C-alpha cells in the first residue's frame, strides 16, 4: 500500500490555475520554461522562497524562482531543461519555502503540473489519464500506474502515436478498460477510498467516477464483490455517457461506405 | 570503438542471445553485433568508448556520464537501443562467468534491456540505473557512495532501490547523510546492520524522510539540519 501523506502541517495547496508552466522549444531542440505564478491570495510570507522543479522518473531539475512577493526567475539563471531533451512525461512542481531563521519549512506546494507549450492551445484541464509513447513490444497500449498517477502508454512504434492516442476510435476501445484497471488499482490494490483528497490522483479518479453517477465510492469494509460491481457500474456509465458503442458502429459504417 | 546504439534488429538479436544464454550458460557473447551494420549505428558525433575494468557501479557510472555528456540533442536516458548496446559492450562485467565458465542472465530482461517507461523497472538496468543516480550527484559524487558501491554485476542493492524509487535520490542532504550513516568507506560497502528492517535502519530512514518531506523542503536542508530533525534511533550511526 502506498504511504499516505496526511496534510497536518498547514501547508497550502497551490491550485493549478495559479501555477501555469509554459514551455518554449528552441532551435537546438531544447526547451526552456516560464512559470506564471499567482501567489497573492495564499497569505504566504512575502519573503518566502519559491522553487520550480521539473521531474520525470528519477531525472530532476530545480530552479529558484524568486519570492512570494516577486515570483520571477533571475536573469542570471537559465531555465533551459537540459536534463530533458524531450518533454515527454515531464511534470512540474512549485514549492514555497520559508526563508531566514527557521527556514526550510514547506509552506505551500503544487505538484504534478503538466506543462503547456507556446504552440499548444489553451487547456488547463487536469489530465486524468495523460498519454505517453512507450516501447510495448507487440502491444498497442497499456496503463502504467506510477507514483504520480496512471499513464496511458501508446506504442511508440505506431507511425504517429499522438494521432492514434487522440483518435476517438482509439479512445472508444481503450478508455472503459483503462478506467476499470485504474479503479481496481485504487480500490482493490491500494485500498484508497477517499474521494475528497484533492491532492491525490486517486481522489481525483474516485471523484470522476462519482460524477458519472456511480454513487459514492465503496468503503474499506465493503465486500470485494461490491467494490467490483461499483467499478463495473462506473465504467458502464462512462461508456453510456459517451455513447461509445454507437460511435464505434458509426465509424465501422463509415469505413464500409468508403 | 565508437559508441553505437542498437536498432530494432540489434535489440532483437541481443534478446535472442539472452534467450540462448539462459538455455546454455556457456553460450559465447556475440560481440560482432556491436558493430554489425544491420544491428547498430554510430551515436553522433562519434564518441570513443573503451573496455575498462570498473571496481564498482560508481566508477562505471562516472565513465558513462563522462562519455555520454558529448551526445548532443538526444534523450540519452530514454534511448533503449543505446543502453542495450552498452549492456553487450560491458557484458563480461555486468554478467561475469563463474569458475565453471557459466553466466546467469536470470529472468529479468530489464537488467540488460531497459524498460524506460515502466516506473518500477527503468532503473533496474545494470548501467542506466547507476548512470541516473550518478548524474543526480555528479557535482559531488562521493555523496552518493551509499547508492553505488556494489560491483558491476550486483544490481539488487537495497540502498539504491529505496532511493531511486523515490524523489529522495535527487536530494543532496538525505543522500549525503545516508552515506555518512550507512556506508563504510574503508570497506567500500554498507555497514553491518544498515539493512535491518528495525529502528535506525535504512528502510526506517526512508520512512522518516517521507514524513519529514511533508513538512520540510528537504532540498533546502543542510546535512546538519536534517540530522537534527531525525529521531534518537539514528544517533548510533552518528559516530
Amino acid at each position: 500500500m502506498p504511504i499516505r501523506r496526511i496534510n497536518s502541517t498547514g501547508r497550502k495547496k497551490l491550485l493549478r490555475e495559479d501555477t501555469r508552466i509554459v514551455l518554449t522549444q528552441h532551435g537546438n531542440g531544447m526547451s526552456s520554461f516560464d512559470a506564471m505564478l499567482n501567489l497573492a491570495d495564499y497569505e504566504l510570507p512575502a519573503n518566502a522562497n519559491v522553487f520550480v522543479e521539473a521531474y520525470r522518473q528519477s531525472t530532476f531539475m530545480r530552479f529558484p524562482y524568486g519570492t512570494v512577493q516577486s515570483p520571477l526567475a533571475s536573469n542570471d539563471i537559465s531555465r533551459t531543461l537540459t536534463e530533458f531533451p524531450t518533454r515527454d512525461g515531464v511534470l512540474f512542481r512549485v514549492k514555497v519555502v520559508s526563508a531566514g531563521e527557521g527556514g526550510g519549512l514547506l509552506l505551500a506546494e503544487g505538484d504534478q503540473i503538466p506543462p503547456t507549450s507556446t504552440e499548444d492551445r489553451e487547456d488547463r484541464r487536469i489530465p486524468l489519464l495523460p498519454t505517453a509513447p512507450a516501447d510495448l513490444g507487440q502491444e498497442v497500449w497499456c496503463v502504467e500506474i506510477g507514483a504520480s498517477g496512471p499513464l496511458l502508454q501508446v506504442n511508440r512504434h505506431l507511425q504517429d502515436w499522438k494521432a492514434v492516442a487522440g483518435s476517438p476510435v482509439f479512445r472508444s476501445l481503450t478508455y472503459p478498460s483503462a478506467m476499470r484497471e485504474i479503479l481496481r488499482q485504487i480500490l482493490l490494490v491500494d485500498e484508497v477510498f477517499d474521494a475528497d483528497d484533492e491532492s491525490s490522483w486517486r481522489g481525483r479518479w474516485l471523484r470522476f467516477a462519482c460524477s458519472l453517477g456511480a454513487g459514492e465510492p465503496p468503503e474499506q469494509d465493503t465486500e470485494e464483490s461490491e467494490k467490483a460491481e461499483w467499478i463495473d457500474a462506473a465504467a458502464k456509465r462512462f461508456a453510456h455517457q459517451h455513447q461509445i458503442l454507437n460511435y464505434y458502429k458509426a465509424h465501422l459504417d463509415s469505413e464500409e461506405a468508403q | 570503438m565508437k559508441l553505437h546504439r542498437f536498432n530494432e534488429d540489434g535489440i532483437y538479436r541481443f534478446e535472442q542471445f539472452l534467450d540462448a544464454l539462459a538455455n546454455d550458460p556457456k553460450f559465447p557473447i556475440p560481440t560482432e553485433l556491436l558493430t554489425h551494420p544491420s544491428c547498430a549505428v554510430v551515436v553522433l558525433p562519434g564518441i570513443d568508448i573503451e573496455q575498462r575494468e570498473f571496481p564498482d557501479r560508481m566508477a562505471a557510472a562516472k565513465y558513462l556520464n563522462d562519455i555520454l555528456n558529448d551526445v548532443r540533442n538526444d534523450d540519452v536516458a530514454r534511448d533503449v537501443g543505446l543502453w542495450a548496446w552498452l549492456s553487450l559492450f560491458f557484458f563480461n562485467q555486468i554478467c561475469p562467468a563463474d569458475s565453471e565458465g557459466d553466466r546467469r542472465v536470470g529472468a529479468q530482461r530489464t537488467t540488460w534491456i531497459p524498460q524506460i517507461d515502466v516506473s518500477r523497472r527503468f532503473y533496474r538496468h545494470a548501467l542506466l540505473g547507476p548512470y541516473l543516480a550518478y548524474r543526480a550527484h555528479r557535482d559531488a559524487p562521493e555523496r552518493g557512495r551509499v547508492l553505488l558501491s556494489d560491483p558491476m554485476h550486483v544490481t539488487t542493492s537495497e540502498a539504491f532501490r529505496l532511493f531511486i524509487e523515490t524523489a529522495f535520490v535527487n536530494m543532496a542532504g538525505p543522500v549525503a547523510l545516508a552515506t555518512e550513516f550507512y556506508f563504510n568507506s574503508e570497506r567500500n560497502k554498507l555497514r553491518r546492520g544498515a539493512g535491518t528492517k528495525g529502528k535506525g535502519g535504512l528502510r526506517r530512514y526512508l520512512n522518516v524522510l517521507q514524513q519529514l518531506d511533508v513538512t520540510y523542503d528537504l532540498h533546502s536542508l543542510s546535512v546538519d539540519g536534517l540530522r537534527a530533525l531525525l529521531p534518537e534511533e539514528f544517533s548510533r550511526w552518528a559516530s
Side-chain angles (χ1 to χ4, degrees):
Chain A
M1 187 186 292
I3 292 173
R4 303 288 301 277
R5 286 166 52 109
I6 298 168
N7 182 5
S8 58
T9 65
R11 76 178 187 281
K12 292 172 177 165
K13 160 90 175 154
L14 301 177
L15 298 177
R16 201 62 60 92
E17 66 239 37
D18 294 327
T19 52
R20 191 166 166 236
I21 308 287
V22 179
L23 298 185
T24 303
Q25 189 159 18
H26 301 288
N28 61 2
M30 287 287 177
S31 294
S32 61
F33 76 92
D34 280 299
M36 283 69 156
L37 306 177
N38 175 16
L39 305 176
D41 298 332
Y42 290 90
E43 297 180 350
L44 294 161
N47 69 337
N49 293 312
V50 179
F51 296 94
V52 176
E53 298 173 352
Y55 61 95
R56 181 184 64 205
Q57 294 177 331
S58 69
T59 306
F60 172 87
M61 294 185 78
R62 176 168 158 114
F63 304 85
Y65 220 82
T67 61
V68 167
Q69 188 171 33
S70 178
L72 296 168
S74 161
N75 286 334
D76 303 336
I77 295 173
S78 166
R79 279 165 285 132
T80 302
L81 300 171
T82 52
E83 293 294 300
F84 304 97
T86 63
R87 58 177 283 191
D88 293 345
V90 179
L91 293 173
F92 286 79
R93 185 185 295 129
V94 177
K95 285 181 173 175
V96 179
V97 180
S98 66
E101 195 169 338
L105 279 173
L106 186 57
L107 304 177
E109 184 180 36
D111 198 2
Q112 298 178 34
I113 304 165
T116 56
S117 78
T118 47
E119 296 86 30
D120 288 346
R121 66 187 171 84
E122 184 79 10
D123 188 351
R124 295 192 199 176
R125 288 175 302 169
I126 301 170
L128 271 174
L129 188 56
T131 55
D135 284 303
L136 299 175
Q138 285 297 310
E139 287 184 82
V140 175
W141 65 277
C142 77
V143 175
E144 156 73 1
I145 300 179
S148 57
L151 200 60
L152 181 63
Q153 295 184 329
V154 182
N155 199 314
R156 69 167 75 244
H157 299 300
L158 292 165
Q159 280 191 335
D160 185 346
W161 72 268
K162 277 186 181 171
V164 171
S167 75
V169 171
F170 178 80
R171 291 180 180 185
S172 70
L173 293 174
T174 56
Y175 276 24
S177 296
M179 186 175 175
R180 275 194 179 87
E181 190 172 336
I182 293 161
L183 292 176
R184 287 182 67 83
Q185 174 76 31
I186 295 169
L187 295 179
L188 304 181
V189 180
D190 298 342
E191 298 186 341
V192 171
F193 306 94
D194 182 5
D196 296 325
D197 183 359
E198 293 182 6
S199 64
S200 138
W201 65 266
R202 295 178 183 84
R204 291 199 296 273
W205 265 97
L206 291 175
R207 275 202 310 287
F208 173 65
C210 293
S211 74
L212 297 168
E216 287 299 307
E219 296 180 349
Q220 184 153 18
D221 54 2
T222 305
E223 290 288 324
E224 189 157 315
S225 59
E226 285 183 45
K227 292 174 186 165
E229 281 175 18
W230 187 84
I231 292 167
D232 200 43
K236 281 186 162 62
R237 282 182 173 273
F238 175 83
H240 179 75
Q241 276 198 8
H242 291 81
Q243 290 292 292
I244 280 179
L245 176 65
N246 290 339
Y247 188 90
Y248 189 66
K249 283 166 68 177
H251 167 75
L252 291 179
D253 291 345
S254 68
E255 277 203 329
E256 280 179 11
Q258 284 176 2
Chain B
M1 185 183 291
K2 294 293 182 192
L3 177 69
H4 287 59
R5 69 164 58 85
F6 278 142
N7 56 24
E8 282 189 38
D9 282 347
I11 291 174
Y12 178 66
R13 298 276 297 275
F14 184 41
E15 285 175 329
Q16 284 186 315
F17 158 66
L18 295 172
D19 290 341
L21 193 57
N23 291 322
D24 174 7
K26 291 185 170 58
F27 200 88
I29 300 173
T31 51
E32 70 278 6
L33 300 183
L34 291 169
T35 52
H36 197 288
S38 71
C39 295
V41 294
V42 173
V43 174
L44 297 176
I47 297 162
D48 292 316
I49 183 168
E50 301 170 4
Q51 281 292 350
R52 294 186 182 182
E53 291 292 322
F54 300 111
D56 51 35
R57 279 155 57 98
M58 171 75 87
K62 178 183 185 321
Y63 178 68
L64 290 173
N65 183 62
D66 289 346
I67 64 168
L68 295 177
N69 267 338
D70 293 332
V71 178
R72 297 283 177 228
N73 303 327
D74 201 359
D75 209 341
V76 165
R78 297 175 67 76
D79 192 334
V80 175
L82 171 67
W83 293 102
W85 187 91
L86 286 167
S87 293
L88 183 59
F89 188 78
F90 289 116
F91 204 73
N92 256 328
Q93 290 190 70
I94 59 177
C95 187
D98 63 17
S99 57
E100 302 292 318
D102 292 346
R103 299 178 199 275
R104 310 287 176 197
V105 288
Q108 294 288 339
R109 288 291 180 268
T110 193
T111 308
W112 323 109
I113 302 169
Q115 289 180 279
I116 55 168
D117 296 303
V118 182
S119 57
R120 295 210 176 252
R121 292 194 187 157
F122 71 95
Y123 58 82
R124 295 186 190 176
H125 187 267
L127 298 166
L128 173 60
Y131 166 80
L132 292 170
Y134 180 87
R135 274 192 75 76
H137 300 281
R138 62 188 183 276
D139 59 316
E142 288 302 308
R143 178 198 302 145
R145 270 280 165 207
V146 72
L147 307 176
L148 298 172
S149 61
D150 287 309
M152 291 279 284
H153 64 282
V154 177
T155 59
T156 52
S157 157
E158 187 169 33
F160 173 75
R161 182 185 62 78
L162 287 171
F163 270 94
I164 204 158
E165 283 186 351
T166 67
F168 302 126
V169 73
N170 290 296
M171 297 182 182
V175 171
L177 197 53
T179 295
E180 181 186 316
F181 280 177
Y182 302 113
F183 184 67
N184 183 332
S185 56
E186 290 175 4
R187 301 179 66 191
N188 198 35
K189 60 192 292 189
L190 286 188
R191 285 183 176 179
R192 187 186 297 271
T196 56
K197 295 178 184 175
K199 286 187 174 180
L202 249 173
R203 288 190 197 180
R204 173 75 182 136
Y205 180 69
L206 267 290
N207 284 341
V208 171
L209 289 180
Q210 294 269 16
Q211 292 167 18
L212 294 175
D213 191 43
V214 178
T215 308
Y216 296 93
D217 174 45
L218 296 182
H219 285 282
S220 299
L221 292 180
S222 65
V223 171
D224 288 339
L226 177 58
R227 193 197 333 261
L229 293 172
L230 293 179
E232 179 65 22
E233 66 188 88
F234 294 96
S235 60
R236 69 180 166 122
W237 300 107
S239 59

